[in-house]
Amino acid sequence: MSTTVDKKGRRSTAAETRERILVAARMAFSKAGYDSVGVREIALAARTDPAMVSRLFGSKENLFTLIASEAFRVAAPFDGPVRGMGQRIAADLLGPVVPPDPDEFDNFAFLLRSIGSPVAAPILSAAIHQSFIQPLSRRMSGREAEQRAALLTAYVLGVAVLRVGLGSPAIERSGPEMVSVLLGEALQRCLTPAIP
Amino acid sequence: MSTTVDKKGRRSTAAETRERILVAARMAFSKAGYDSVGVREIALAARTDPAMVSRLFGSKENLFTLIASEAFRVAAPFDGPVRGMGQRIAADLLGPVVPPDPDEFDNFAFLLRSIGSPVAAPILSAAIHQSFIQPLSRRMSGREAEQRAALLTAYVLGVAVLRVGLGSPAIERSGPEMVSVLLGEALQRCLTPAIP
DNA sequence: CGGGAAATGTCAACGACCGTTGATAAAAAG
DNA sequence: CTTTTTATCAACGGTCGTTGACATTTCCCG
């Protein structure tokens, strides 16, 4: 049998195969976590061979590190003015997409499903700080900005734990209700504390 | 070589061995998570044989379920009057024991290090709801009590994620500072919302 | 245009761990 | 002494990440 070809009968570039593996690995890690995902599984989804993962990325750990370092870029609800940002994030967090589309990458699932792994945890820790908490705190004014940014991150991650990690039915269906208001206020208080 | 004996030269009861395994497993799961802990490792720490784990508990999964079902009993800071409970929980969460003593069982570590495992996650989900969120919500009054209890739980778990999961230096050292006040207020607002 | 070099893909195997089970030994109980 | 309880050991079938040898395709340069 011949080697893998794309639709036009051509063979893949290394860069193309790399990209397919990256996409497949992102999804797999997001769905099942670092420890539960094997390179064979990733390679199958990427229509390639397990050996290519080691070839192109060095190791499964390197592949994971690469994905993690790009996963936590500060997202859409964090753009725009600081005023009202709390409610914006809350609305996005408790938004209508419940449960999230299983066919697209989920930051929170990616984080929570791998945070227990002794090898993945330090990688995720570094990524969260460098890509999220620090950039966010730089947009904030006032004292202890980084600590407040971390607290905000904690709230967000906590909601994520309950929703994707534990699949809690208690928070799941929440439109513009009390919980959403409470969360929005709590987030806003991290951004702009009442006492300056 | 003879079989395992205790200090008095006597042999262990099944109940005693069971207890040693339980203690060892609690610690191991809390330190490394469900997937990373092997029955051989547990048995070694419990001074017994890997086969005894399957013998006495049926399976590693059963053992984990047993531990999980007893791990999330509502804890000390949740006793007493609802007034000021938010600050009490915050103080306990951000308390002086940082990092927590690695020689004693840690609820949060136990939860977070195993939440990524496909087999452990549903077990933990059930345990958290039955042992924590529901009992807590029964102590609360007002509308949407269970949803607010879940939100409070999310905050607490989020802080735990940052501290034990990610080892965040941003929240770690926090005495009676701004972050502690903010967290306490946010928790209290879940317990006793301003708008009844 | 041809041939060798480079790039890409495939396959099989390694050693290491995993949870579990059955056979068997040792100790205690009756 | 026989039965029951507790412990030990070896082995099973399986999955894991990684590697080296080899096959195939593409490219480049003479």
Side-chain angles (χ1 to χ4, degrees):
Chain A
M1 188 182 169
S2 78
T3 71
T4 299
V5 293
D6 76 357
K7 304 143 196 166
K8 298 194 277 294
R10 257 205 1 90
R11 203 156 92 147
S12 301
T13 309
E16 289 171 344
T17 306
R18 249 183 81 99
E19 190 56 32
R20 284 206 314 277
I21 292 176
L22 272 174
V23 170
R26 256 191 286 263
M27 282 305 307
F29 285 140
S30 160
K31 277 199 249 194
Y34 182 82
D35 285 335
S36 302
V37 172
V39 296
R40 287 167 176 84
E41 177 183 345
I42 295 174
L44 189 70
R47 307 193 317 278
T48 183
D49 193 87
M52 296 303 289
V53 177
S54 294
R55 277 275 181 292
L56 297 176
F57 293 91
S59 67
K60 177 185 167 189
E61 183 174 347
N62 279 353
L63 170 60
F64 183 84
T65 303
L66 198 65
I67 295 174
S69 68
E70 296 172 354
F72 303 111
R73 294 282 144 76
V74 181
F78 294 88
D79 296 333
V82 179
R83 179 165 228 90
M85 186 185 288
Q87 282 296 344
R88 240 180 303 144
I89 302 173
D92 188 72
L93 260 184
L94 305 176
V97 190
V98 177
D101 186 355
D103 280 352
E104 73 181 43
F105 179 68
D106 185 331
N107 281 349
F108 296 123
F110 176 74
L111 172 69
L112 295 173
R113 302 231 146 91
S114 294
I115 205 169
S117 163
V119 353
I123 298 171
L124 290 169
S125 175
I128 280 275
H129 280 93
Q130 289 170 20
S131 303
F132 193 89
I133 296 182
Q134 285 183 11
L136 177 62
S137 75
R138 274 195 281 270
R139 298 193 196 175
M140 296 163 52
S141 58
R143 299 187 306 106
E144 301 185 33
E146 183 160 344
Q147 300 196 20
R148 287 184 282 120
L151 186 61
L152 182 146
T153 307
Y155 292 163
V156 172
L157 289 182
V159 174
V161 171
L162 245 65
R163 292 185 84 212
V164 346
L166 298 177
S168 171
I171 295 201
E172 277 218 345
R173 41 204 136 89
S174 289
E177 311 184 22
M178 188 183 296
V179 196
S180 178
V181 176
L182 282 173
L183 177 60
E185 288 176 359
L187 296 175
Q188 193 65 45
R189 254 171 251 268
C190 295
L191 296 165
T192 54
I195 303 139
Chain B
M1 189 183 169
S2 77
T3 71
T4 298
V5 294
D6 75 356
K7 303 143 197 167
K8 299 193 280 293
R10 253 202 8 86
R11 202 156 93 144
S12 300
T13 310
E16 290 170 344
T17 306
R18 249 183 81 100
E19 189 57 31
R20 285 207 313 279
I21 292 177
L22 271 174
V23 171
R26 256 190 287 262
M27 283 304 309
F29 286 140
S30 160
K31 276 199 249 196
Y34 182 83
D35 285 334
S36 302
V37 172
V39 296
R40 287 168 175 84
E41 177 183 344
I42 295 173
L44 189 70
R47 307 193 317 277
T48 182
D49 192 88
M52 296 303 289
V53 177
S54 294
R55 267 295 115 67
L56 297 176
F57 293 91
S59 67
K60 177 186 167 188
E61 183 175 347
N62 279 355
L63 171 60
F64 183 83
T65 303
L66 198 65
I67 296 174
S69 68
E70 296 172 352
F72 302 110
R73 292 283 145 74
V74 181
F78 295 88
D79 295 333
V82 178
R83 178 167 229 89
M85 185 185 288
Q87 282 296 343
R88 241 180 302 143
I89 301 173
D92 188 72
L93 260 184
L94 304 175
V97 190
V98 177
D101 187 355
D103 281 351
E104 74 181 42
F105 178 69
D106 185 332
N107 281 348
F108 296 123
F110 176 74
L111 172 69
L112 295 173
R113 301 232 146 92
S114 294
I115 205 170
S117 164
V119 352
I123 298 171
L124 290 169
S125 175
I128 280 275
H129 280 94
Q130 288 170 21
S131 302
F132 194 88
I133 295 181
Q134 284 182 12
L136 177 62
S137 75
R138 275 195 282 270
R139 299 193 196 174
M140 295 164 53
S141 58
R143 298 188 305 106
E144 302 184 32
E146 183 160 343
Q147 300 196 20
R148 286 184 284 120
L151 185 61
L152 182 147
T153 307
Y155 293 161
V156 171
L157 289 183
V159 173
V161 170
L162 244 66
R163 292 184 84 213
V164 346
L166 298 176
S168 172
I171 295 202
E172 276 217 344
R173 41 205 136 85
S174 289
E177 311 184 21
M178 187 183 295
V179 196
S180 178
V181 175
L182 282 173
L183 177 60
E185 288 175 359
L187 296 174
Q188 192 66 44
R189 256 171 248 269
C190 295
L191 296 164
T192 54
I195 302 139

